[in-house]
Amino acid sequence: MQGSTRRMGVMTDVHRRFLQLLMTHGVLEEWDVQRLQKHCYKVHDRTATVEKLEDFINNINSVLESLYIEIKKGVTEDDGRPIYALVNLATTSISKMASDFAENELDLFRKALELIIDSETGFASSTNILNLVDQLKGKKMRKKEAEHVLQKFVQNKWLIEKEGEFTLHGRAILEMEQYIRETYPDAVKVCTICHSLLIQGQSCETCGIRMHLPCVAKYFQSHSEPRCPHCNDYWPHEIPEVFDPEKEREASISKSNRRSLRSRQH
């Protein structure tokens, strides 16, 4: 054995339970992942010290490596929330979805994906997607059925719907980046700051470079006058706020407190 090989982690019942629960969710925000980890320790090993999340996940990943599966960390494109998803590294993701969806449903996803990738905004309207149902492979699908299938993609966290338009969920981006880069090399957009795949973001009106909203927020945090990192022209868009996990946590705690207060009053 070479000395440089990565040390194999040891999976305990805590790790196994965590992995099973993450598999059922498909994708979770960091805050929920931390709660899930604590829950698994409580159930299986109350006396153990809770391992640092990063080490805990690295430990699981070192065991999953040989199966070409990995727990991958990413951020949501619209507001920069950290998310974790269980990602299949071996196959392209549309075929990975195959166990959950029929052939014509997968083709509908493929068509929606193409429209999203080709669009300037990273969104495809439900009207444009539904207009393609006659071209689907496999069993014929009515528009009404197709609407239900699109909702199924939303529930399974492959798509996000905003006001009748669809874009890719963070889970789909984490899972499918490689597939999208290989399948649509001419249409793919990349963020100038983090060099990852970009579906929705802002672009410079002068030179055309693009940035994710969370990357825009971080990059311009310390700039009093926002200028394009590439051509130095004035950046004309509104600068979003940087995601703050502490603020988010306080908001969710006060929301749950308000909920329990309301339920006590009724």
Side-chain angles (χ1 to χ4, degrees), residues 1-247:
M1 289 281 278
Q2 293 295 307
S4 62
T5 46
R6 192 162 145 190
R7 191 173 65 81
M8 187 76 152
V10 177
M11 288 268 267
T12 66
D13 285 341
V14 179
H15 295 95
R16 279 187 209 99
R17 165 66 67 104
F18 176 87
L19 186 57
Q20 277 172 340
L21 291 170
L22 184 60
M23 278 167 85
T24 49
H25 288 286
V27 62
L28 283 173
E29 285 186 24
E30 188 165 55
W31 168 233
D32 291 319
V33 168
Q34 287 163 342
R35 277 175 35 205
L36 188 66
Q37 185 198 22
K38 287 194 182 98
H39 163 78
C40 294
Y41 271 101
K42 210 180 268 180
V43 172
H44 288 288
D45 201 345
R46 281 177 172 277
T47 55
T49 313
V50 176
E51 200 177 358
K52 200 167 137 244
L53 186 62
E54 194 183 341
D55 298 335
F56 183 83
I57 284 171
N58 284 343
N59 201 349
I60 296 172
N61 279 341
S62 66
V63 176
L64 295 180
E65 205 173 24
S66 58
L67 304 169
Y68 297 99
I69 302 170
E70 181 183 22
I71 298 172
K72 216 170 172 186
K73 184 180 181 181
V75 294
T76 54
E77 279 201 324
D78 54 352
D79 57 9
R81 293 159 187 269
I83 54 170
Y84 290 80
L86 193 64
V87 172
N88 187 336
L89 303 172
T91 55
T92 62
S93 263
I94 291 184
S95 63
K96 180 192 175 294
M97 292 164 69
S99 56
D100 298 324
F101 298 98
E103 185 191 7
N104 57 355
E105 295 177 333
L106 289 176
D107 207 34
L108 183 69
F109 183 84
R110 201 176 279 114
K111 297 260 188 284
L113 177 64
E114 279 170 20
L115 287 174
I116 289 166
I117 300 292
D118 283 338
S119 77
E120 267 306 300
T121 58
F123 282 85
S125 73
S126 61
T127 311
N128 287 349
I129 299 169
L130 296 172
N131 282 341
L132 300 173
V133 291
D134 297 338
Q135 303 169 23
L136 298 181
K137 288 179 193 152
K139 201 164 141 269
K140 282 237 173 293
M141 191 189 285
R142 291 194 193 91
K143 282 192 178 178
K144 204 86 205 119
E145 278 175 82
E147 281 173 12
H148 287 303
V149 175
L150 286 174
Q151 288 312 316
K152 210 158 103 178
F153 291 139
V154 171
Q155 282 157 11
N156 283 269
K157 302 192 174 91
W158 293 107
L159 294 177
I160 292 171
E161 185 186 8
K162 283 181 184 167
E163 295 161 11
E165 297 208 310
F166 292 88
T167 188
L168 290 187
H169 193 288
R171 173 192 189 175
I173 295 170
L174 273 179
E175 291 240 12
M176 303 175 79
E177 170 148 8
Q178 209 37 50
Y179 169 81
I180 290 168
R181 282 176 183 263
E182 286 166 15
T183 314
Y184 310 101
D186 301 331
V188 153
K189 303 169 188 86
V190 173
C191 174
T192 291
I193 302 298
C194 70
H195 308 295
S196 296
L197 177 71
L198 181 144
I199 303 295
Q200 46 170 319
Q202 293 180 353
S203 61
C204 174
E205 288 174 1
T206 308
C207 70
I209 62 118
R210 294 172 188 270
M211 294 199 267
H212 290 121
L213 296 178
C215 294
V216 168
K218 281 205 183 100
Y219 182 79
F220 290 128
Q221 204 176 10
S222 52
H223 294 64
S224 54
E225 192 182 286
R227 292 193 163 274
C228 172
H230 183 250
C231 73
N232 205 35
D233 210 346
Y234 179 71
W235 194 260
H237 309 285
E238 192 183 327
I239 310 301
E241 274 186 44
V242 177
F243 175 73
D244 180 350
E246 280 313 308
K247 222 187 265 176

